[in-house]
């Protein structure tokens, strides 16, 4: 068996440089992380495929920056979440549990790991308390199988510099909470002319713009609603207002259609986040006073979770089982503790008081979180030889 494996490996390493270059140019496109993996396969592949260059102004390491036709805004894919499985030689030897990483743009390195709670590089964040103050840098991607989970976008505005300065500068609107490209790049088929971007602002305003039309921004309104969150789920866009009512966005007419009843336990001083978990839609209701309030109990909870039932409306979800909810800066998601290293069941992870905190639904108290973003075991030498 060892002889056969060695023979097959030798055949792959002897592929013509022209064929390797063709594969890299036409199949890997500008996905830097895949280029790095293929270059790390062997010496001949590394010499045949050049290292990825810093992205030009019109591209990111993941794909093209999409300009909105009528304005000086662009939609940029800023990060991708991956699931990593340890797979040194064969699928049969892969680990049952995996790791999750958030990979983003970098001006100095091909890729960099980001903190999902701040969208900042891990080396610059205070939310990931590695003992060495900065995360380990060794990660042998050849030993892992990567599965793309989801992606995040940002809205960038380009402004011409003042007279005397050449070029332009770019910035993200300070009050932008979330930007969603619809359909996104994971959609199987779509008409390029139908693409649009949705922008949610801290004021609660939800706006949309068609990328290839000259209509400008259109504010979506459902009776003067103020929105807290928006989510792309199963190819559909949903928004939740401050009363806990979910609306479905009809992207053909840009109309809002009520999708859920109002949350019966509605309180004005609550911040709402939507999470898709195992095919169901959940609402996380967060007390806005958690930044300064110290004491909570079962009758006065800092965070409450509700599950949307199409027959009975909102149901209390007091136990998430072996699931953890992650309320990140650019997106919220759920993870199974059976599938990922470092997760703690029945907890809500969020950024509060300048750090990441874990709220246990079992004890209704905050606790020091276990690390999963990524779990430090990912960088152990036994996985990166």
């Amino acid at each position: 068996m060892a002889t056969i494996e060695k023979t097959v490996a030798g055949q792959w390493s002897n592929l013509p440089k022209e064929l390797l270059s063709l594969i890299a140019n036409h199949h890997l496109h500008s996905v830097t992380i895949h280029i790095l993996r293929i270059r790390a396969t062997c010496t001949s592949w590394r010499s045949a495929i050049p290292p990825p260059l810093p992205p030009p102004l019109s591209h990111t390491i993941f794909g093209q920056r999409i300009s909105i036709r009528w304005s000086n805004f662009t939609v940029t894919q800023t990060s991708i979440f991956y699931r990593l499985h340890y797979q040194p030689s064969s699928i049969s030897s892969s680990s049952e549990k995996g790791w999750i990483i958030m990979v983003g743009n970098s001006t100095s390195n091909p890729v960099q790991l980001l903190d999902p709670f701040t969208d900042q590089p891990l080396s610059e964040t205070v939310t990931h308390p590695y003992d060495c103050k900065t995360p380990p840098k060794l990660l042998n991607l050849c030993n892992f199988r990567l599965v793309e989970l989801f992606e995040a976008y940002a809205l960038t505005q380009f402004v011409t510099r003042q007279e005397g300065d050449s070029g332009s500068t770019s910035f993200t609107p300070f009050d932008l909470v979330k930007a969603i490209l619809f359909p996104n790049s994971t959609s199987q088929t779509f008409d390029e002319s139908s693409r649009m971007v949705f922008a949610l602002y801290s004021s609660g305003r939800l706006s949309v713009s068609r990328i290839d039309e000259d209509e400008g921004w259109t504010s979506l309104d459902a009776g003067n609603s103020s929105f807290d969150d928006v989510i792309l789920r199963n190819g559909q866009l949903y928004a939740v207002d401050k009363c806990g009512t979910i609306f479905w966005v009809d992207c053909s007419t840009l109309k809002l259609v009520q999708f859920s009843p109002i949350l019966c336990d509605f309180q004005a001083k609550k911040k709402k986040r939507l999470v898709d978990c195992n095919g169901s839609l959940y609402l996380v209701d967060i007390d806005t006073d958690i930044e300064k309030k110290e004491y909570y109990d079962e009758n006065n909870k800092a965070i409450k979770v509700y599950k949307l039932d199409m027959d009975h409306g909102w149901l209390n979800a007091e136990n998430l089982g072996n699931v953890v909810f992650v309320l990140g800066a650019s997106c919220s998601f759920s993870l199974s503790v059976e599938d990922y290293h470092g997760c703690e069941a029945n907890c809500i992870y969020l950024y509060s008081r300048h750090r990441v905190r874990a709220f246990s639904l079992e004890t209704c108290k905050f606790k020091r979180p276990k690390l999963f973003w990524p779990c430090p075991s990912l960088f152990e030498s036994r996985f990166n030889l």
Side-chain angles (χ1 to χ4, degrees):
M1 180 64 70
T3 304
I4 294 176
E5 289 181 352
K6 198 172 291 186
T7 302
V8 172
Q11 292 174 348
W12 280 110
S13 64
N14 291 326
L15 285 177
K17 290 186 177 181
E18 295 78 8
L19 179 58
L20 290 171
S21 179
L22 187 67
I23 294 173
N25 291 333
H26 292 276
H27 295 282
L28 299 181
H29 304 287
S30 60
V31 184
T32 303
I33 197 166
H34 296 318
I35 297 177
L36 294 176
R37 291 187 75 200
I38 195 172
R39 292 186 78 243
T41 303
C42 59
T43 303
S44 61
W45 286 27
R46 187 175 184 87
S47 62
I49 300 175
L53 299 174
L57 182 62
S58 60
H59 288 72
T60 71
I61 64 170
F62 307 117
Q64 189 176 17
R65 286 191 174 102
I66 304 173
S67 298
I68 301 177
R69 178 176 176 178
W70 61 272
S71 71
N72 56 352
F73 283 92
T74 62
V75 187
T76 306
Q77 190 181 48
T78 55
S79 58
I80 298 179
F81 287 80
Y82 288 98
R83 175 186 171 93
L84 274 65
H85 288 274
Y86 180 57
Q87 188 175 288
S89 58
S90 66
I91 295 179
S92 60
S93 62
S94 62
S95 172
E96 292 184 0
K97 281 193 175 184
W99 297 266
I100 186 170
I101 61 172
M102 181 182 182
V103 178
N105 290 308
S106 173
T107 56
S108 57
N109 299 306
V111 293
Q112 64 181 354
L113 295 179
L114 300 182
D115 186 324
F117 298 98
T118 63
D119 286 353
Q120 299 300 312
L122 280 180
S123 58
E124 300 176 9
T125 183
V126 297
T127 72
H128 205 291
Y130 280 105
D131 293 337
C132 59
K133 302 304 181 183
T134 58
K137 296 182 179 180
L138 180 61
L139 184 59
N140 187 350
L141 293 176
C142 286
N143 290 344
F144 299 90
R145 181 164 58 94
L146 274 69
V147 178
E148 182 176 331
L149 299 177
F150 41 87
E151 53 201 22
Y153 291 85
L155 195 63
T156 306
Q157 186 173 12
F158 286 84
V159 178
T160 303
R161 294 176 180 172
Q162 295 181 353
E163 186 176 352
D165 295 334
S166 60
S168 61
T169 184
S170 64
F171 65 94
T172 299
F174 72 93
D175 57 343
L176 179 70
V177 174
K178 184 181 290 187
I180 293 181
L181 179 65
F182 180 87
N184 59 21
S185 63
T186 61
S187 302
Q188 296 296 321
T189 57
F190 57 84
D191 182 1
E192 190 70 35
S193 63
S194 68
R195 303 192 86 177
M196 58 188 74
V197 58
F198 292 86
L200 177 65
Y201 295 89
S202 57
S203 63
R205 176 169 56 94
L206 179 61
S207 299
V208 60
S209 175
R210 298 186 185 275
I211 289 176
D212 286 337
E213 297 184 7
D214 299 322
E215 299 176 354
W217 289 101
T218 299
S219 292
L220 302 182
D221 186 26
N224 297 319
S225 293
S226 180
F227 296 96
D228 271 357
D229 198 13
V230 61
I231 188 175
L232 185 60
R233 173 178 178 264
N234 297 331
Q236 301 289 343
L237 201 75
Y238 299 89
V240 60
D241 66 9
K242 294 186 180 299
C243 297
T245 305
I246 294 180
F247 295 88
W248 166 64
V249 182
D250 185 343
C251 293
S252 61
T253 62
L254 298 183
K255 300 294 185 181
L256 292 172
V257 180
Q258 185 170 338
F259 188 74
S260 81
I262 190 173
L263 187 65
C264 295
D265 195 22
F266 162 69
Q267 296 182 32
K269 296 182 66 175
K270 295 279 189 177
K271 188 74 174 177
K272 292 159 181 61
R273 298 288 294 269
L274 295 174
V275 180
D276 184 15
C277 177
N278 296 327
S280 297
L281 197 56
Y282 288 78
L283 185 148
V284 182
D285 213 18
I286 309 166
D287 188 353
T288 55
D289 286 337
I290 61 172
E291 297 293 337
K292 53 186 178 181
K293 194 171 182 178
E294 294 289 344
Y295 179 75
Y296 289 96
D297 55 32
E298 292 187 359
N299 297 319
N300 183 25
K301 299 179 181 180
I303 297 175
K304 294 182 179 180
V305 180
Y306 302 89
K307 179 181 178 180
L308 181 60
D309 183 280
M310 298 309 298
D311 295 324
H312 303 94
W314 290 112
L315 303 177
N316 279 306
E318 298 180 349
N319 191 338
L320 299 178
N322 289 328
V323 172
V324 56
F325 282 1
V326 182
L327 309 184
S330 54
C331 58
S332 301
F333 52 92
S334 62
L335 298 175
S336 169
V337 299
E338 298 175 350
D339 295 334
Y340 291 92
H341 292 284
C343 296
E344 189 167 3
N346 203 26
C347 286
I348 309 292
Y349 283 70
L350 72 161
Y351 188 70
S352 169
R353 299 187 181 182
H354 308 292
R355 66 183 187 274
V356 178
R357 306 169 74 189
F359 182 80
S360 170
L361 292 181
E362 180 180 1
T363 63
C364 299
K365 294 180 180 180
F366 285 99
K367 60 197 304 184
R368 182 175 181 177
K370 291 184 177 180
L371 302 181
F372 69 85
W373 61 100
C375 179
S377 64
L378 175 64
F379 300 97
E380 292 178 3
S381 57
R382 60 193 176 106
F383 297 129
N384 295 284
L385 295 177

